[in-house]
Amino acid sequence: MRLTLLALFACTALIANAPAPQDPEPVVEPAPVSIPLWAKGPPGHDTRPITPEIGRDYWVRNIRNPSLLAFPALPAHNTGTAIVIFPGGGHKLLVWTNEGTKAAVALNRMGISAFVLKYRLAREPGSPYTIEGDAADDARRAVRWVRAHAADYGIDPARVGVMGFSAGGELVSLIADNPEPAGRPKTDAIDALSARPDFQVLVFPGPLGIPAKNAAGAPPAFITAGSLDPCCAAPAVALYEQLRKAGTPAELHMYADSTHAFNLDESNRISILHWPDRLNDWLADSGLLEPHHTAPKQ
C-alpha cells in the first residue's frame, strides 16, 4: 500500500507540473466579399456629393454605389443554385441583417450560393432615385452579374433565382413578373445577359409590380405572408392567383393571425418559424437542390 501511495503521489506531481495543453487556434471564417455592381459607378443622374453609407445595428442606408455581398456555398455542399437577396425597408433603408445576411447564411445551409444586394433607395429623404427605374435596374444588374460570374462560384447560370422581403419583394415582382422597360441603360457586356430570374421567392411582398404584366412568362414562384399583414397580405394572394391562372407554377403560404416582417425567426408561432423549411421543400421539389454545376475557377 505504501508503494502504491508513493506512486500515486509521484504521478500526481508529474501531472501538476506538466505544461498546460494549448488551446487550438480560433477558426477564422472568411469575410463575405463586397462587389460593386458597376466598376465605374451606376448609371443615372445623381449629382449629390459622394458620402459614405450609414449603418446602425440591423440597417444600412445612403446606398450610392450599389453592391453585392457574396456568400458562396461550401464546395462540398454546393448545389449550383444561386439566389440574389433583396432586403426590405420601405425603400428608405435596408433591413440588412434580418432580411439579408441571415437569409444568406440560411440558404448556404441548403447548398445555395447567396448574394445580398445593396440597392439604391428611392424613398430616402432627398433621393433622386426611383423604384421602377434605379432600384429595379440594380436588381436586374445583380442577376446579370451573378450569371456573368457563375463559373467563379460553381453556379449553373440557368439556376439563378431572386428572393425579396417586403420592399425587396416589390423588386422581385418588378423584374420577375413584369417586362423590363425599354430604354434602360446598357453599360457593358454584362447588361446584354438576361435579367429574368429562373425562380422567385417573395416574403411578405409589397404591392408594386402587382398585378403583373407578364404573369404567363414569369418564373416559378414561392410566396409567403401573414394573413393579417395590412400592407402585404393582399398583394401576396393577388400575385399567387394571377400566376396560377396564367399557368405559372406557384406555391402560397399564408399564416394565420400573423402580420408583417416575421423574417426567419421573429415570431412565436411554430408554423412561421418553419416557413424556411417549406421553402426548402419547394426548392427540393423543383430540383434546385440537386447538384448541377461546374467546379469553381481556381
Side-chain angles (χ1 to χ4, degrees), residues 11-202:
C11 290
T12 302
L14 287 172
I15 293 171
N17 294 324
Q22 295 298 310
D23 291 332
E25 291 296 321
V27 176
V28 179
E29 297 290 341
V33 178
S34 181
I35 306 150
L37 286 186
W38 286 276
K40 298 180 180 180
H45 303 285
D46 188 351
T47 59
R48 297 174 297 168
I50 298 297
T51 53
E53 294 175 0
I54 300 169
R56 299 287 187 276
D57 190 19
Y58 65 89
W59 58 263
V60 65
R61 63 178 180 85
N62 198 41
I63 312 301
R64 308 292 292 281
N65 191 19
S67 62
L68 287 170
L69 200 62
F71 291 77
L74 290 175
H77 304 289
N78 185 10
T79 62
T81 296
I83 293 181
V84 183
I85 302 170
F86 309 147
H91 301 286
K92 298 177 181 178
L93 53 81
L94 298 181
V95 182
W96 186 245
T97 55
N98 295 344
E99 297 178 1
T101 58
K102 287 185 178 180
V105 171
L107 292 171
N108 279 170
R109 296 191 192 107
M110 302 180 195
I112 294 171
S113 293
F115 299 82
V116 189
L117 176 64
K118 285 182 179 176
Y119 56 88
R120 288 171 285 180
L121 299 166
R123 292 177 180 160
E124 194 174 27
S127 172
Y129 307 130
T130 66
I131 298 169
E132 294 86 346
D134 303 292
D137 282 349
D138 295 346
R140 293 188 188 94
R141 175 73 178 194
V143 173
R144 289 177 167 128
W145 190 96
V146 172
R147 284 213 171 98
H149 295 85
D152 298 334
Y153 297 93
I155 292 167
D156 181 343
R159 289 169 63 163
V160 178
V162 290
M163 177 181 190
F165 295 77
S166 192
E170 293 181 322
L171 294 184
V172 171
S173 294
L174 287 169
I175 73 167
D177 307 312
N178 293 275
E180 181 172 0
R184 298 312 301 164
K186 303 296 182 185
T187 62
D188 56 24
I190 291 177
D191 286 329
L193 299 176
S194 173
R196 178 189 180 276
D198 298 300
F199 58 95
Q200 54 179 318
V201 179
L202 302 100

Side-chain angles (χ1 to χ4, degrees), residues 86-91 99 119 123 131 162-178 200-212 221-243 250-255 258-263 275:
F86 309 147
H91 301 286
E99 297 178 1
Y119 56 88
R123 292 177 180 160
I131 298 169
V162 290
M163 177 181 190
F165 295 77
S166 192
E170 293 181 322
L171 294 184
V172 171
S173 294
L174 287 169
I175 73 167
D177 307 312
N178 293 275
Q200 54 179 318
V201 179
L202 302 100
V203 188
F204 39 83
L208 288 183
I210 303 169
F222 177 96
I223 308 167
T224 186
S227 61
L228 300 182
D229 189 331
C231 79
C232 303
V237 174
L239 179 61
Y240 169 76
E241 272 296 288
Q242 201 180 0
L243 294 173
E251 184 166 310
L252 174 67
H253 295 267
M254 297 295 294
Y255 289 100
S258 299
T259 59
H260 193 63
F262 45 74
N263 298 327
W275 81 258

